[in-house]
């Protein structure tokens, strides 16, 4: 562990984007430009955002690892710290520790179909993967993006989905459990989209993010399509506090999600999924 893993570095909000009534994106830059130049992360990793006098919260990094200009975090207001973060505006300062955790298997996915399957508001951790693949399009085969939400108004980045759908060799499938008038996509669970996805199970990697029950059902649907377990990766969520595997709040079986995850191959955690207490 590096000596500064506990020490937040000061960042400034360069831009703030209101994505939905309770969802916003903070575009950050370290005030220490030398540290900013050294900073590097992998798609799927997370940072701890710290607000003095309030607390700290783990937030996935939404920007592309090669974007050296700004570090994006998309945040939903769900608790005390995120509620305070939502009050910040462009030009304000906060603290940042990270990056932490294991990211998505982007090197192993090269030359193969990439399936990104998200449920609820869990799409933020895979947005960096979408950007990663689209910026390196020749290195990957088909890109299939599947997103399921409960209500149609939960779908953020609607225009980005239209842009992604127009990209070469890319398929976008959207669904909502409860739809309103004018909803042009599927109605139902995200698992219903698996049968519409055009991919080669013998040469594909699936990356899942969302509620654990949704990921468990989706993994089962992918297995039925013939995708091997070792090619199914899941991003797990728990209440992460220290981010270095010391406090034990994110203990998951014999591992710590903050340090050994949050991204796991299915064989490592399949025995823990759906088990009460884990």
């Amino acid at each position: 562990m590096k000596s500064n893993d506990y020490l937040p570095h000061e960042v400034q909000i360069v831009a703030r984007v209101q994505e939905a009534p309770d969802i916003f994106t903070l575009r950050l830059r370290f005030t220490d430009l030398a540290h900013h130049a050294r900073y590097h992360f992998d798609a799927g990793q997370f940072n701890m955002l710290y607000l003095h006098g309030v607390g700290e919260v783990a937030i996935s990094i939404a920007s592309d690892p090669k974007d050296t200009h700004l570090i994006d975090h998309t945040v939903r207001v769900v608790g005390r710290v995120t509620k305070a973060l939502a009050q910040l505006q462009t030009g304000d300062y906060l603290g940042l520790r990270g990056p932490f955790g294991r990211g998505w298997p982007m090197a192993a996915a090269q030359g193969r179909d990439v399936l990104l399957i998200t449920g609820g508001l869990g799409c933020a951790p895979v947005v960096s993967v979408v950007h990663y693949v689209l910026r390196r399009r020749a290195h990957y085969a088909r890109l299939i993006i599947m997103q399921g939400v409960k209500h149609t108004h939960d779908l953020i980045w609607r225009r980005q989905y239209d842009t992604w759908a127009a990209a070469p060799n890319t398929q976008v499938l959207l669904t909502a459990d409860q739809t309103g008038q004018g909803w042009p996509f599927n109605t139902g669970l995200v698992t219903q989209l698996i049968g519409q996805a055009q991919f080669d199970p013998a040469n594909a990697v699936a990356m899942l993010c969302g509620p654990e029950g949704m990921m468990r059902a989706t993994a089962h649907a992918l297995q039925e399509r013939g995708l091997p377990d070792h090619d199914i990766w899941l991003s797990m969520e728990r209440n992460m506090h220290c981010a270095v595997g010391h406090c034990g709040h994110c203990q998951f079986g014999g591992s710590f999600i903050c340090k050994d995850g949050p991204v796991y191959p299915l064989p490592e955690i399949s025995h823990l999924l759906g088990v009460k207490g884990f």
Side-chain angles (χ1 to χ4, degrees), residues 115-172:
L115 290 80
L116 305 179
I117 308 172
T118 63
L121 297 172
C123 53
V126 300
V127 168
S128 61
V129 178
V130 176
H131 294 158
Y132 192 98
V133 172
L134 292 179
R135 290 187 181 186
R136 302 156 184 82
R137 201 64 196 87
H139 296 170
Y140 297 91
R142 287 186 57 74
L143 173 64
I144 301 101
I145 303 168
M146 289 177 269
Q147 164 74 17
V149 293
K150 186 172 184 179
H151 304 283
T152 53
H153 62 258
D154 290 334
L155 185 69
I156 62 174
W157 297 314
R158 176 74 174 268
R159 282 180 293 182
Q160 283 200 32
Y161 282 108
D162 294 338
T163 300
W164 296 337
N169 216 12
T170 300
Q171 182 182 17
V172 173

Side-chain angles (χ1 to χ4, degrees), residues 24-238:
F24 59 96
T25 294
L26 299 179
R27 310 202 70 193
L28 307 175
R29 182 168 55 211
F30 289 99
T31 54
D32 180 345
L33 297 183
H35 184 78
H36 192 97
R38 291 193 300 270
Y39 181 83
H40 172 76
F41 66 92
D42 295 325
Q45 287 191 295
F46 68 94
N47 286 322
M48 300 297 293
L49 300 186
Y50 170 71
L51 198 55
H52 180 69
V54 180
E56 198 176 41
V57 64
I59 302 292
S60 298
I61 307 168
S63 46
D64 187 283
K66 295 300 182 185
D67 183 351
T68 58
H69 181 53
L70 297 173
I71 309 163
D72 294 352
H73 300 77
T74 298
V75 184
R76 184 185 186 192
V77 180
V78 293
R80 177 173 52 87
V81 180
T82 53
K83 185 177 181 179
L85 289 172
Q87 304 306 310
L88 300 179
Q89 299 299 323
T90 299
D92 287 342
Y93 297 88
L94 63 152
L96 185 153
R97 289 194 297 132
F100 296 111
R102 173 169 55 180
W104 298 108
M106 301 313 301
Q110 287 197 14
R112 311 171 72 184
D113 294 338
V114 177
L115 290 80
L116 305 179
I117 308 172
T118 63
L121 297 172
C123 53
V126 300
V127 168
S128 61
V129 178
V130 176
H131 294 158
Y132 192 98
V133 172
L134 292 179
R135 290 187 181 186
R136 302 156 184 82
R137 201 64 196 87
H139 296 170
Y140 297 91
R142 287 186 57 74
L143 173 64
I144 301 101
I145 303 168
M146 289 177 269
Q147 164 74 17
V149 293
K150 186 172 184 179
H151 304 283
T152 53
H153 62 258
D154 290 334
L155 185 69
I156 62 174
W157 297 314
R158 176 74 174 268
R159 282 180 293 182
Q160 283 200 32
Y161 282 108
D162 294 338
T163 300
W164 296 337
N169 216 12
T170 300
Q171 182 182 17
V172 173
L173 299 168
L174 304 175
T175 187
D177 297 355
Q178 300 175 25
T179 60
Q181 190 174 10
W183 174 253
F185 308 109
N186 188 73
T187 299
L189 302 175
V190 71
T191 49
Q192 297 174 356
L193 301 177
I194 302 295
Q196 303 175 39
Q198 300 167 11
F199 67 97
D200 177 7
N203 189 37
V205 174
M207 305 178 192
L208 282 54
C209 190
E212 191 169 315
M214 163 260 160
M215 291 196 291
R216 193 167 68 249
T218 300
H220 179 67
L222 290 169
Q223 290 167 326
E224 290 188 331
R225 282 284 306 263
L227 196 66
D229 285 6
H230 61 262
D231 286 326
I232 301 173
W233 294 72
L234 302 85
S235 181
M236 304 303 298
E237 286 190 6
R238 290 294 186 275

